[in-house]
Amino acid sequence: EIVLTQSPGTLSLSPGERATLSCRASQSVSSSYLAWYQQKPGQAPRLLIYGASSRATGIPDRFSGSGSGTDFTLTISRLEPEDFAVYYCQQYGSSGTFGQGTKVEIK
Amino acid sequence: QVQLQESGPGLVKPSETLSLTCTVSGGSISSYYWSWIRQPPGKGLEWIGYIYYSGSTNYNPSLKSRVTISVDTSKNQFSLKLSSVTAADTAVYYCAREVVTMVRGVTYYYGMDVWGQGTTVTVSS
């Protein structure tokens, strides 16, 4: 079973700053199978990125994904107030695991 | 657009079976994978399993012995049953649409693009 480890656990940043979130897999993951989600309190998760780097419908271009193999990154180029949330990576496969999440909080 | 709605009891007794249904509206259940995901209070997301509209399933190995996911295409619904529940199964349960295609033997994954609002299930006597 593939384990996804996200870091850092919490990222404290100010609006306008750049956020870089990491997702590391315990074994190689096909880039096609890696997705990122955003979750705000009391809401269902929202798909941001699929295929490691493709933005889902309606997602602003300040969100970008990259990576391959075991290391993947979600970057938010300039944080907007609505971007402060928890972010999860997820891999599709025999057991579609999620990472434990990274909370992006206002500094 | 496609919408998902979870329904079922909000309170289940220990050792009993949790049963939830997800109703798909605004689109067909055909040609997609349909997933269940849960989130214990204050914790992260846990994938439970998925079912293809044709009936094939895949479950989280850690829950496989207790989980059954089924589909009713005539009602545009799919369901989750989790047996022998304990307090550790208390969570918000989400249903979601999972988009997967296969072209010339290559699988492409487009993520869980539509989610229900979630339903809280508490396991308590």
Side-chain angles (χ1 to χ4, degrees), chain A residues 14-33:
Chain A
S14 301
E17 290 194 292
R18 181 185 188 88
T20 303
L21 288 67
S22 173
C23 176
R24 178 162 291 179
S26 59
Q27 55 187 282
S28 185
V29 172
S30 168
S31 296
S32 299
Y33 294 178

Side-chain angles (χ1 to χ4, degrees), chain A residues 22-82:
Chain A
S22 173
C23 176
R24 178 162 291 179
S26 59
Q27 55 187 282
S28 185
V29 172
S30 168
S31 296
S32 299
Y33 294 178
L34 198 287
W36 289 92
Y37 301 84
Q38 176 195 67
Q39 187 180 33
K40 297 179 181 179
Q43 296 185 15
R46 177 175 72 145
L47 175 66
L48 297 176
I49 300 286
Y50 64 88
S53 60
S54 297
R55 277 187 298 277
T57 303
I59 301 303
D61 59 9
R62 64 180 180 272
F63 291 91
S64 63
S66 63
S68 63
T70 59
D71 291 295
F72 297 89
T73 300
L74 175 69
T75 301
I76 310 170
S77 59
R78 288 178 57 85
L79 282 164
E80 297 287 341
E82 62 268 26

Side-chain angles (χ1 to χ4, degrees), chain B residues 23-40:
Chain B
T23 300
V24 180
S25 60
S28 173
I29 203 165
S30 297
S31 304
Y32 291 102
Y33 290 79
W34 302 94
S35 292
W36 288 98
I37 303 97
R38 70 181 183 179
Q39 186 169 37

Side-chain angles (χ1 to χ4, degrees), chain B residues 22-85:
Chain B
C22 183
T23 300
V24 180
S25 60
S28 173
I29 203 165
S30 297
S31 304
Y32 291 102
Y33 290 79
W34 302 94
S35 292
W36 288 98
I37 303 97
R38 70 181 183 179
Q39 186 169 37
K43 296 189 178 181
L45 302 169
E46 180 180 31
W47 174 76
I48 299 171
Y50 67 62
I51 189 165
Y52 191 46
Y53 79 101
S54 62
S56 61
T57 55
N58 188 26
Y59 301 139
N60 186 325
S62 68
L63 298 170
K64 189 173 184 176
S65 63
R66 299 194 292 131
V67 171
T68 302
I69 298 176
S70 59
V71 65
D72 186 338
T73 54
S74 67
K75 294 182 179 179
N76 244 28
Q77 294 177 334
F78 63 105
S79 299
L80 167 71
K81 290 190 186 299
L82 181 66
S83 64
S84 305
V85 298

